[in-house]
Amino acid sequence: MRMSLENIGRRLSRTPMLKALVPLVAGIVVAGRWSLPLWGAAAGLVVCVAAGVVWRGRARADLFIAAAMFFAGWCAAQMRPAVQAPQGERVMELTVDEVLTRRDGVTLAEGRIVAFASGRDVERCGAVVRIWADGSLSLREGERLEALCRVRPFADNGYGRYMLRQGVAGSVSLDSMRVIRRTETPLRWARRLHHKAVERISQLGLDTPTQAVVAAMAVGDRSGLMPELRDRYARSGTSHLLAVSGLHVGFVFIIVNLLLMWMLTLWYGYAVRCLVVVAAIWVYAAVTGFSPSVVRAAVMFSVFQVSMALTVRFDSLNSLCLTACIMLLADARSLADAGFRLSFLSVAAILEWGLPIYRATTRPEILMAFVPYRSVGHEIRYIALRTVRVAARWVWCGVIMGAVASVVTAPLVSYLFGTVSLWSVVAGPASVLLSGITVGAAMVWVLFPLPLLQPVAAWVTARAATSLEALVEACAGNDAMIWEGYVPASAAAWSYVAMAAFTLWLWSVRDRKRRRRRRRK
């Protein structure tokens, strides 16, 4: 089948934010290679916006708007320049923003250099650094340390360049001999919620490995994850379950909607449920620390919930691109974040590949509505067949979505991490189901810490997490579907060019089939 530019243009007209996202990303990438004064990029943005307003309604207006988004991306990148860390050993004031992990007597945290001594003066800084501290220090989030230390720059390799693009200037080593003074500072309300949620999960009485997995999946606390456990999840293709993302926000979205189904019988029940669900989504985002992937998912599910209440249809890909534009304009460094790129690619592939493939491979469900109910046996047969069919459709949907997400992220995962596991396709539906049960039970206990719920939540959480660990260990121990090797950047780029061409072909064919169905009607 040949591609139709008219059909592709019609599809692009329904996703204007996609046409804005492409030049925005191009502007950020170009700004990382060539420098331009901020006033120059701002002037280009103003001129292009003015030209687009003057020639609005004409074809050339789209070119000016695209150029305006290009300069907007350039401005966003220039407004967040990398902060240089001080050179040499000197007294610095550090603040601990987040404790990443504690293992083998060493604490890894992320923090900022607030100020440092320069001769007789004190200079303000703000550079982000990774802090490696001796376990005896017991670093806590929010505290400030005054210490004699040195910032070591990262090596000139892939990992070092990746950290620099994220705005991390280097690493700092601390021990009790170098720390001069420590002071506690009050945590922000979001971090207080996070610590409260971690404390309530610890009250479930789970063993240490299970508690580490539950805390990571439910509230984003990965400080207890051991390297061996991380490696098992990576080899089994389920490492995304340990990082709170759109999947976990989707669990909260579904669970809260199911718990509030009774509100639909009330006056303005749709509006009340909409407000409660949106509030629950953003409270969960606050509990997990407002990570970029969670914020992106929270925006999308909030839009989806409001559209459900207003019975308004919206384009999911357009909402995804709108969310990406907002996040990149707020912080252009998000483009260098592996989680941002992986989650955006997987969600876009599920929307544009997974859903069409699922609809094409499943017929409309016929639930045997015309089966005569002459005996109890017919009723049991009807319920059994209906249950089996619905379960089969859910399993098939999980297989397709897992396969699509694995295929589209494989080049980038291989380029960044050097390991690609296809076990995510096979074990995807079961792992997602078990993680959903784990997150749901843990969050019910976190939100409603009633004494009667504690044993039930502990039992359900422990059984689901243990079953998930057994599945992960079985997949990680079999190398048949694990490929190790780094893909060159050029090969990864060309693979995504091919995927983009395939997506355009899908748009063309899909619109052609829709027109044929309309003509038959």
Side-chain angles (χ1 to χ4, degrees):
M1 297 181 182
R2 64 182 183 87
M3 297 177 63
S4 172
L5 296 179
E6 181 183 355
N7 294 337
I8 296 174
R10 188 179 297 109
R11 180 67 181 91
L12 288 174
S13 66
R14 298 198 299 270
T15 54
M17 296 312 302
L18 176 60
K19 296 186 289 185
L21 179 61
V22 173
L24 177 66
V25 171
I28 296 174
V29 172
V30 171
R33 294 181 177 271
W34 293 282
S35 61
L36 180 71
L38 181 59
W39 64 265
L45 173 62
V46 172
V47 170
C48 291
V49 170
V53 172
V54 172
W55 281 290
R56 64 181 181 276
R58 302 182 185 179
R60 69 183 73 175
D62 292 338
L63 297 177
F64 286 116
I65 295 301
M69 295 304 299
F70 176 84
F71 283 110
W74 203 320
C75 288
Q78 294 289 94
M79 291 177 66
R80 290 291 186 100
V83 181
Q84 297 296 324
Q87 301 294 323
E89 188 176 55
R90 59 187 70 208
V91 177
M92 303 181 190
E93 183 181 356
L94 305 167
T95 179
V96 181
D97 294 330
E98 181 182 3
V99 175
L100 301 178
T101 183
R102 303 179 191 270
R103 64 174 184 266
D104 300 330
V106 178
T107 301
L108 173 61
E110 185 169 292
R112 289 174 291 111
I113 301 175
V114 179
F116 62 92
S118 177
R120 296 183 178 180
D121 299 328
V122 176
E123 295 187 16
R124 309 293 295 179
C125 187
V128 180
V129 292
R130 288 291 172 92
I131 303 174
W132 294 88
D134 187 85
S136 60
L137 289 177
S138 299
L139 292 185
R140 295 179 295 274
E141 295 179 355
E143 71 172 331
R144 292 200 175 198
L145 301 96
E146 188 176 324
L148 177 65
C149 54
R150 178 194 303 269
V151 178
R152 297 192 307 272
F154 293 109
D156 189 15
N157 52 24
Y159 175 77
R161 290 189 291 270
Y162 169 71
M163 296 301 293
L164 289 175
R165 285 194 296 269
Q166 285 195 306
V168 183
S171 61
V172 174
S173 297
L174 294 178
D175 55 45
S176 56
M177 301 296 295
R178 292 179 173 270
V179 176
I180 301 173
R181 185 174 55 185
R182 301 175 65 174
T183 57
E184 294 286 344
T185 57
L187 294 173
R188 295 178 299 174
W189 64 272
R191 300 309 301 178
R192 290 199 297 269
L193 286 177
H194 175 78
H195 283 284
K196 191 65 176 178
V198 174
E199 179 184 351
R200 287 183 178 174
I201 289 177
S202 66
Q203 296 172 359
L204 291 175
L206 307 173
D207 58 85
T208 302
T210 303
Q211 180 177 324
V213 171
V214 173
M217 288 195 299
V219 295
D221 179 43
R222 293 178 289 174
S223 60
L225 298 178
M226 294 293 103
E228 299 80 10
L229 190 145
R230 293 173 184 262
D231 183 66
R232 284 201 302 271
Y233 273 81
R235 290 179 60 81
S236 63
T238 56
S239 58
H240 60 282
L241 299 177
L242 297 178
V244 178
S245 61
L247 177 66
H248 304 75
V249 179
F251 292 153
V252 175
F253 171 82
I254 294 173
I255 292 171
V256 177
N257 269 291
L258 291 177
L259 292 176
L260 300 180
M261 285 289 291
W262 59 272
M263 285 190 175
L264 301 181
T265 60
L266 306 176
W267 285 98
Y268 302 106
Y270 281 96
V272 175
R273 188 179 72 163
C274 176
L275 293 176
V276 175
V277 172
V278 171
I281 289 173
W282 285 101
V283 168
Y284 181 70
V287 168
T288 56
F290 286 120
S291 64
S293 58
V294 173
V295 171
R296 180 172 54 256
V299 172
M300 281 201 62
F301 280 106
S302 298
V303 173
F304 183 52
Q305 184 68 39
V306 173
S307 67
M308 288 173 55
L310 300 177
T311 63
V312 176
R313 297 185 61 184
F314 74 104
D315 192 286
S316 300
L317 181 61
N318 193 59
S319 300
L320 178 65
C321 294
L322 172 61
T323 306
C325 287
I326 294 174
M327 295 185 68
L328 290 176
L329 288 174
D331 188 358
R333 293 175 299 185
S334 299
L335 186 62
D337 182 45
F340 178 90
R341 288 182 281 179
L342 290 173
S343 60
F344 181 85
L345 286 173
S346 58
V347 173
I350 288 173
L351 294 176
E352 298 303 315
W353 292 7
L355 292 179
I357 294 174
Y358 173 73
R359 297 190 187 105
T361 54
T362 53
R363 297 171 179 265
E365 185 171 347
I366 302 175
L367 299 179
M368 302 180 65
F370 301 100
V371 174
Y373 291 91
R374 298 177 181 176
S375 64
V376 177
H378 284 86
E379 295 180 4
I380 296 176
R381 176 172 174 267
Y382 170 80
I383 295 173
L385 289 178
R386 176 173 179 172
T387 303
V388 170
R389 178 164 297 190
V390 172
R393 287 171 66 92
W394 276 101
V395 172
W396 179 237
C397 179
V399 170
I400 291 176
M401 301 311 168
V404 166
S406 299
V407 168
V408 78
T409 57
L412 185 57
V413 169
S414 180
Y415 168 69
L416 293 174
F417 308 111
T419 302
V420 177
S421 176
L422 297 180
W423 281 114
S424 58
V425 180
V426 179
S431 62
V432 169
L433 176 61
L434 292 173
S435 62
I437 295 174
T438 303
V439 173
M443 290 309 299
V444 168
W445 165 250
V446 169
L447 295 176
F448 307 102
L450 303 176
L452 294 177
L453 286 179
Q454 196 273 343
V456 178
W459 186 86
V460 174
T461 304
R463 295 298 179 274
T466 304
S467 301
L468 178 61
E469 176 62 23
L471 177 63
V472 167
E473 189 172 356
C475 294
N478 192 330
D479 298 337
M481 301 184 69
I482 301 175
W483 182 82
E484 295 185 359
Y486 286 91
V487 170
S490 58
W494 280 111
S495 65
Y496 285 112
V497 170
M499 293 179 189
F502 176 71
T503 304
L504 294 176
W505 177 80
L506 270 183
W507 287 353
S508 178
V509 174
R510 199 184 311 165
D511 283 351
R512 187 181 297 125
K513 290 182 177 180
R514 286 176 180 173
R515 290 204 310 274
R516 288 177 181 173
R517 287 196 295 265
R518 290 172 183 172
R519 290 173 184 173
R520 290 173 185 172
K521 291 180 182 179

